[in-house]
């Protein structure tokens, strides 16, 4: 197969392909193809040119790692070499790694597997895997270690090469971290805060008493003193070597007593369920318990001053409702109690505990009639305020922050009233009789428990009353329409307050008709209908009526038009028929006359034949006188 291909290439050896790229002319000769084919014919082993090593480049100290050597041609015989001084081939020992005490080599159909049971800094360096003397692949191995005794560095998977590790730091926040590496000809090693690209010590500088970085031959070391639990974060170990970037994600978690917080809950009385939430910082992840203590609303001024004797016994929220937040490898936690049934106002507390200690926090649960501290509104009238109206006004303040004392200022007078507790608010009712423009402003003043006063003002827009009335001259209208036509009706009833408009047809309520305008049409079998609109307000009512009639002449005109058309058609048909008959009779008469004339001539000839020639008279009237006598 190869020989045939070579012959074909020899035939094409003098051919070339000219490719024009811009102004340059690139000539590709098929001789190059010929040399390539000859190379693979003479050296078939060169086909196994793809070989690589898979496995971690950055490993956690004392973890187990595996390095696998694979070739694209399925080679099964590989030799491993190790150098702690660099990656140049001359620096590798001549003896393979099979006899090295810290490794165990296993061969399989996919290649050679190198397993290191507990990697440490003695394993740092360059690894070389060879299928032949000239077919090899290399890689560098780096080791990350917690060099202080209390701290623990562990990978997140069973093998130390998963690319993610966790550094467990004691509560004093003091730890040391080292990255071991072989001598780098060119490259860089860095440790940065993930996502924000902040260098390691820049992150801890404001969160610890001390952070130092030291670089020596083969080691990059970091030391941190007295960091807080809130300084826990996720970092990246970045190593650039031979133009290749290796990354390990490192979660540094500092142990500490839980720090918890809760928001104040303020819900409306018609809300049946809420979500309770407790957030904070803690490592290890804490267990969280919620409790609820019902209290009298009037005793819940401030959490610090709450009257505990006005509260009932605390209730532990059922723990089966607890739902932990999905945060992994972080000191942040959140626990949610979903759809907790709201009962009474009271105290909600959250207690978080872990191996470093416990802490708790309390917050108030307010159940309110309304969100604002004060509500001031008109209960009636619900439309507009008229002169001589009596306005029903309510003023409410929440029972948590206000006393039951309220003051109404209106028309130059001040009235002090004691509020009645309705739900979770102090409530008063004030009736204001409006007689002039000076009474258009009403002020309600609430007395806060801290001694201050809160005001709310209503500005009344007072109008003159006007009963519902029809604006046009006539309140009844006769309307004549053609059959099938529609008509637009306008209900011009006005008044103050604005009346509500209701439409009727033949005393039946038209529920679909709304507003002052409606478009109506009668059914095919209807000849008349009565439409009414009624305007209603609290001052009275007014009615406007339309009597709609379908014009009879128009109906009969339509029917007469159809009849006249039929009659004309009949007349035309009759005339044509009569004309045809008369013409036929005329033809028959003409034919009869011609027949009679012919028969008359024949009779005369017969008579002449019976008369002797001497007696024939050729001057017989009717026969003419132009006959010639016979000799």
């Amino acid at each position: 197969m190869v020989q045939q291909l070579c012959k074909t290439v020899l035939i094409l050896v003098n051919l070339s392909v000219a490719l024009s790229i811009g102004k340059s002319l690139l000539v590709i000769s098929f001789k190059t193809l010929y040399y390539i084919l000859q190379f693979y014919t003479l050296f078939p082993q060169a086909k196994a040119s793809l070989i690589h090593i898979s496995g971690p480049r950055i490993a956690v100290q004392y973890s187990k790692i595996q390095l696998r050597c694979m070739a694209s041609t399925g080679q099964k015989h590989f030799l491993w070499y190790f150098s702690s001084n660099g990656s140049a081939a001359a620096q590798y020992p001549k003896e393979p790694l099979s006899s090295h005490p810290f490794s165990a080599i296993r061969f399989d159909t996919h290649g050679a597997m190198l397993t290191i049971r507990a990697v440490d800094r003695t394993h740092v360096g360059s690894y070389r895997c060879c299928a032949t003397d000239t077919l090899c692949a290399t890689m560098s191995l780096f080791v990350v270690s917690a060099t202080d005794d209390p701290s623990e560095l562990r990978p997140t998977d069973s093998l130390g090469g998963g690319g993610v590790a966790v550094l467990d730091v004691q509560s004093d926040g003091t730890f040391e971290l080292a990255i071991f590496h072989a001598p780098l000809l060119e490259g860089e090693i860095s440790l940065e805060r993930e996502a924000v690209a902040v260098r390691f010590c820049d992150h801890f500088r404001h969160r610890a008493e001390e952070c130092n970085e030291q670089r020596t031959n083969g080691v990059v070391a970091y030391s941190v003193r007295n960091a807080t639990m809130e300084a826990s974060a996720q970092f990246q170990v970045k190593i650039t070597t031979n133009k290749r970037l290796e990354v390990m994600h490192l979660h540094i978690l500092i142990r500490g007593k839980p720090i918890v917080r809760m928001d104040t809950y303020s819900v409306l009385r018609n809300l049946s369920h809420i979500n309770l939430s407790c957030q904070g910082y803690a490592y290890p992840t804490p267990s969280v318990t919620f409790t609820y203590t019902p209290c009298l609303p009037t005793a819940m001024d401030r959490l610090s001053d709450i009257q505990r004797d006005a509260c009932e016994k605390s209730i532990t929220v059922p723990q089966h409702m607890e739902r932990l937040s999905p945060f992994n490898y972080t000191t942040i936690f959140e626990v949610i109690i979903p759809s907790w049934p709201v009962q009474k106002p009271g105290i909600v507390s959250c207690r978080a505990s872990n191996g470093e200690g416990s802490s708790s926090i309390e917050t108030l649960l307010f159940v309110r009639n309304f969100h604002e501290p004060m509500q001031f509104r008109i209960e009636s009238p619900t439309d507009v305020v008229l002169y001589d109206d009596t306005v029903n006004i309510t003023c409410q303040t929440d029972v948590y922050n206000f006393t039951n004392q309220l003051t109404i200022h209106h028309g130059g007078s001040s009235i002090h009233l004691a509020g009645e507790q309705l739900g979770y608010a102090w409530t008063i009712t004030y009736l204001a009789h409006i007689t002039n423009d000076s009474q258009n402003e009403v002020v309600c003043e609430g007395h806060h428990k801290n001694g201050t006063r809160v005001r709310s003002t209503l500005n009344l827009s007072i109008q003159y009353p006007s009963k519902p009335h029809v604006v046009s001259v006539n309140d009844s209208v006769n309307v004549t329409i053609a059959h099938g036509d529609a008509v637009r009706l306008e209900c011009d009833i006005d008044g103050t307050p604005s009346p509500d408009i209701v439409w009727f047809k033949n005393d039946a309520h038209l529920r679909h008709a709304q507003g002052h305008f409606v478009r109506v049409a009668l059914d095919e079998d209807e000849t008349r209908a009565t439409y009414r609109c009624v305007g209603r307000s609290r001052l009275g009512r007014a009615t406007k009526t339309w009597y709609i009639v379908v014009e009879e002449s128009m109906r009969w005109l339509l029917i007469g038009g159809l009849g006249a058309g039929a009659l004309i058609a009949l007349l035309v048909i009759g005339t044509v028929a009569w004309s045809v008959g008369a013409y036929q009779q005329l033809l028959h008469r003409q034919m009869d006359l011609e027949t009679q004339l012919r028969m008359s001539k024949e009779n005369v000839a017969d008579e002449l034949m019976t008369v002797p020639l001497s007696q024939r008279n050729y001057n017989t009237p009717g026969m003419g006188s132009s006959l010639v006598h016979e000799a």
Side-chain angles (χ1 to χ4, degrees):
M1 181 67 182
V2 175
Q3 292 178 354
Q4 293 178 354
L5 186 58
C6 289
K7 291 179 181 179
T8 305
V9 173
L10 286 173
I11 296 173
L12 301 175
V13 72
N14 292 323
L15 297 177
S16 61
V17 179
L19 301 176
S20 179
I21 304 175
K23 296 182 179 179
S24 301
L25 187 64
L26 177 63
V27 178
I28 301 177
S29 176
F30 278 94
K31 292 181 180 180
T32 305
L33 298 177
Y34 168 71
Y35 293 136
I36 293 173
L37 290 173
Q38 273 197 335
F39 175 78
Y40 280 115
T41 303
L42 296 175
F43 304 100
Q45 68 272 17
K47 296 177 183 178
S49 61
L50 297 179
I51 183 171
H52 71 281
I53 301 174
S54 64
R57 269 61 176 172
I58 307 175
V60 175
Q61 183 170 254
Y62 304 131
S63 64
K64 177 183 177 180
I65 67 169
Q66 292 178 332
L67 304 179
R68 184 189 298 272
C69 187
M70 299 182 64
S72 59
T73 56
Q75 291 282 341
K76 299 181 181 179
H77 302 287
F78 298 91
L79 294 177
W80 285 87
Y81 300 89
F82 170 73
S83 173
S84 61
N85 295 322
S87 58
Q91 296 176 335
Y92 285 92
K94 295 182 179 179
E95 296 298 325
L97 199 58
S98 58
S99 60
H100 199 283
F102 65 70
S103 64
I105 298 178
R106 183 183 66 198
F107 297 91
D108 54 29
T109 57
H110 299 289
M113 180 82 73
L114 173 62
T115 301
I116 303 179
R117 296 186 182 93
V119 66
D120 59 24
R121 66 180 301 178
T122 62
H123 304 130
V124 173
S126 182
Y127 291 79
R128 183 179 180 89
C129 172
C130 295
T132 65
D133 292 341
T134 59
L135 186 60
C136 299
T138 62
M139 62 155 281
S140 297
L141 180 65
F142 305 85
V143 174
V144 180
S145 173
T147 55
D148 63 304
D149 291 334
S151 300
E152 178 187 357
L153 180 65
R154 61 182 184 274
T156 58
D157 59 353
S158 58
L159 296 177
V164 181
V166 176
L167 178 61
D168 190 334
V169 180
Q170 297 301 309
S171 58
D172 61 359
T174 300
F175 64 95
E176 295 178 355
L177 188 68
I179 304 172
F180 299 106
H181 62 89
L184 298 175
L185 297 179
E186 58 179 18
E188 183 181 358
I189 298 175
S190 63
L191 183 56
E192 298 178 352
R193 172 79 181 272
E194 191 160 320
V196 293
V198 175
R199 300 187 67 86
F200 184 81
C201 279
D202 291 340
H203 169 79
F204 282 100
R205 185 165 287 113
H206 303 290
R207 300 174 176 86
E209 290 184 4
E210 182 182 353
C211 179
N212 294 314
E213 177 182 340
Q214 186 176 5
R215 294 177 180 260
T216 59
N217 187 22
V219 181
V220 179
Y222 298 91
S223 62
V224 177
R225 298 288 180 268
N226 299 327
T228 60
M229 181 176 57
E230 293 86 339
S232 302
Q234 181 174 336
F235 298 84
Q236 283 184 336
V237 179
K238 293 184 178 181
I239 301 177
T240 305
T241 177
N242 296 327
K243 298 181 180 180
R244 176 169 176 168
L245 176 65
E246 305 293 343
V247 177
M248 170 182 277
H249 301 280
L250 178 61
H251 300 272
I252 298 180
L253 303 179
I254 303 173
R255 292 175 174 264
K257 178 181 176 181
I259 301 174
V260 295
R261 64 180 180 85
M262 291 183 73
D263 297 326
T264 300
Y265 296 96
S266 180
V267 299
L268 296 180
R269 60 186 300 183
N270 58 357
L271 188 66
S272 59
H273 293 78
I274 61 171
N275 294 335
L276 298 181
S277 175
C278 181
Q279 312 95 18
Y281 296 91
Y283 183 73
T285 302
S287 61
V288 178
T289 303
F290 286 88
T291 58
Y292 161 66
T293 306
C295 299
L296 291 176
T298 53
M300 295 173 56
D301 181 10
R302 289 176 301 192
L303 185 60
S304 58
D305 300 333
I306 194 167
Q307 304 173 21
R308 298 287 174 168
D309 56 351
C311 299
E312 303 176 14
K313 184 178 180 181
S314 297
I315 302 171
T316 301
V317 177
Q319 296 304 298
H320 70 275
M321 300 176 66
E322 180 177 310
R323 185 180 72 197
L324 287 173
S325 62
F327 299 126
N328 294 321
Y329 307 120
T330 179
T331 58
I332 301 174
F333 74 92
E334 180 181 21
V335 180
I336 300 173
I337 305 296
S339 298
W340 182 70
V342 178
Q343 302 174 25
K344 300 177 182 178
I347 303 171
V348 178
S349 65
C350 166
R351 182 178 180 84
S353 303
N354 63 8
E356 303 299 324
S358 300
S359 60
S360 62
I361 189 172
E362 293 181 335
T363 188
L364 294 177
L365 170 64
F366 296 105
V367 181
R368 304 180 184 274
N369 291 12
F370 39 84
H371 287 299
E372 302 81 9
M374 173 183 288
Q375 190 176 79
F376 192 26
R377 65 183 183 185
I378 298 174
E379 299 294 336
S380 65
T382 57
D383 39 29
V384 296
V385 177
L386 306 175
Y387 287 100
D388 205 34
D389 265 349
T390 298
V391 183
N392 184 2
I393 303 174
T394 60
C395 184
Q396 295 179 304
T397 56
D398 71 70
V399 297
Y400 305 104
N401 300 312
F402 291 85
T403 68
N404 66 341
Q405 298 299 310
L406 294 100
T407 303
I408 295 292
H409 304 279
H410 181 231
S413 301
S414 298
I415 303 173
H416 301 281
L417 300 172
E420 177 186 2
Q421 184 176 345
L422 296 178
Y424 303 100
W426 301 116
T427 305
I428 62 170
T429 299
Y430 174 70
L431 300 179
H433 187 68
I434 307 301
T435 58
N436 54 66
D437 291 337
S438 63
Q439 299 174 323
N440 65 336
E441 183 178 277
V442 185
V443 178
C444 178
E445 186 177 74
H447 298 249
H448 201 281
K449 289 182 179 179
N450 61 11
T452 62
R453 298 191 178 189
V454 179
R455 286 191 168 203
S456 181
T457 302
L458 284 178
N459 290 309
L460 307 180
S461 179
I462 307 172
Q463 301 183 30
Y464 288 97
S466 175
K467 293 182 179 181
H469 58 278
V470 178
V471 177
S472 56
V473 177
N474 298 320
D475 56 4
S476 63
V477 181
N478 295 321
V479 180
T480 303
I481 62 174
H483 187 75
D485 286 352
V487 63
R488 183 172 180 264
L489 307 181
E490 178 184 0
C491 183
D492 55 344
I493 296 180
D494 197 6
T496 304
S498 298
D500 298 324
I501 304 300
V502 183
W503 289 88
F504 297 89
K505 176 185 177 181
N506 297 332
D507 295 330
H509 183 201
L510 298 178
R511 299 185 181 277
H512 66 279
Q514 298 179 353
H516 288 265
F517 298 92
V518 67
R519 189 174 183 84
V520 300
L522 301 188
D523 297 334
E524 292 184 1
D525 58 345
E526 289 183 312
T527 60
R528 63 183 63 248
T530 301
Y531 281 85
R532 290 185 300 114
C533 75
V534 178
R536 301 170 180 171
S537 74
R538 56 189 171 98
L539 299 182
R541 57 184 291 170
T543 304
K544 186 171 183 177
T545 307
W546 290 265
Y547 300 98
I548 301 178
V549 178
V550 177
E551 189 175 359
E552 293 295 330
S553 59
M554 296 297 293
R555 287 171 56 89
W556 288 114
L557 179 60
L558 179 60
I559 297 174
L562 294 175
L567 180 59
I568 292 172
L570 291 175
L571 289 175
V572 170
I573 294 172
T575 302
V576 172
W578 177 83
S579 300
V580 172
Y583 178 69
Q584 290 178 350
Q585 290 180 3
L586 182 60
L587 288 177
H588 284 301
R589 290 183 63 185
Q590 184 176 357
M591 292 175 61
D592 291 342
L593 290 174
E594 291 178 354
T595 303
Q596 291 178 6
L597 180 60
R598 186 175 64 254
M599 292 178 62
S600 175
K601 289 180 178 180
E602 290 176 355
N603 291 334
V604 171
D606 291 342
E607 290 179 358
L608 289 175
M609 293 298 295
T610 58
V611 177
L613 293 175
S614 58
Q615 296 181 2
R616 293 180 184 178
N617 183 9
Y618 291 98
N619 292 324
T620 304
M623 297 297 294
S625 58
S626 60
L627 295 177
V628 178
H629 294 281
E630 294 182 1

